[in-house]
Amino acid sequence: MIQSAYTQAKRAKYPLGEFDNGCMAKGRVQDCSGKVMQQILADGKDGIPILISQLTETTIAKNQIADYWSGTRSGDVAFVVLNDLFTDANPHSFGMPGVTNWSTVQKGCNRAAQACWAEYLHKHGRMSVKQAWQRGWNLHKDQIYWDAKAQCFRVSKD
């Protein structure tokens, strides 16, 4: 991961509607290729607030974010990317406290991920997801670091 010195000043948002993951359900987005993901990884920790700001976007993406997921919105892409960036190789090991994540979304929902996401958004709205992530970022931004071995962000206990 390369940290860009001019990231925050130059980049206001990512072209999430152009997201080209390349691996779909085969792994986390950071394990796959794709120009947009490379930009996000290159920006490092500075990319997190940019992604958070995009959680409420509803631009239809050119590509699905996952297999069998139709009508992907740019905010859906931001949500998946943020979740994956805080998840190590064990998909049940999510490391950002107090935010809306897949466990939150799928609690009490026995349907496919996209259906649970749609149901969650219908009940709570995109703004609630953004607000939760913004609170989490505000509380933990000084403790967040990139774990090169696990290829994900972690929150230090300090």
Side-chain angles (χ1 to χ4, degrees):
M1 176 182 285
I2 302 165
Q3 186 69 30
S4 175
Y6 60 89
T7 301
Q8 204 65 13
K10 297 283 184 186
R11 192 183 324 273
K13 59 194 283 185
Y14 296 108
L16 298 179
E18 308 290 324
F19 195 79
D20 52 347
N21 182 346
C23 71
M24 303 300 269
K26 295 180 184 85
R28 303 169 301 168
V29 292
Q30 64 264 40
D31 299 329
C32 305
S33 61
K35 284 188 340 187
V36 177
M37 196 62 218
Q38 288 173 0
Q39 289 175 347
I40 294 167
L41 290 173
D43 289 349
K45 185 175 159 178
D46 291 337
I48 297 168
I50 298 169
L51 288 165
I52 291 169
S53 75
Q54 293 186 263
L55 284 167
T56 53
E57 291 183 359
T58 57
T59 303
I60 296 176
K62 288 186 178 178
N63 302 304
Q64 299 174 10
I65 188 63
D67 289 329
Y68 312 112
W69 187 312
S70 61
T72 302
R73 307 293 176 151
S74 50
D76 305 337
V77 175
F79 180 75
V80 169
V81 171
L82 282 165
N83 273 269
D84 281 5
L85 286 175
F86 282 91
T87 303
D88 67 21
N90 173 353
H92 302 292
S93 177
F94 181 77
M96 180 63 152
V99 301
T100 305
N101 62 24
W102 281 116
S103 294
T104 312
V105 169
Q106 293 180 308
K107 188 174 186 166
C109 181
N110 296 321
R111 298 166 43 201
Q114 182 186 13
C116 293
W117 176 239
E119 183 178 304
Y120 187 88
L121 290 178
H122 181 73
K123 285 183 186 174
H124 304 282
R126 290 181 184 275
M127 185 56 79
S128 73
V129 176
K130 181 178 178 179
Q131 290 169 338
W133 272 91
Q134 189 63 56
R135 274 191 309 274
W137 170 253
N138 292 342
L139 284 170
H140 302 291
K141 64 183 168 190
D142 295 332
Q143 300 165 286
I144 295 172
Y145 69 96
W146 181 256
D147 181 334
K149 185 176 179 189
Q151 292 291 296
C152 68
F153 286 110
R154 300 214 189 258
V155 178
S156 66
K157 306 288 186 228
D158 304 45

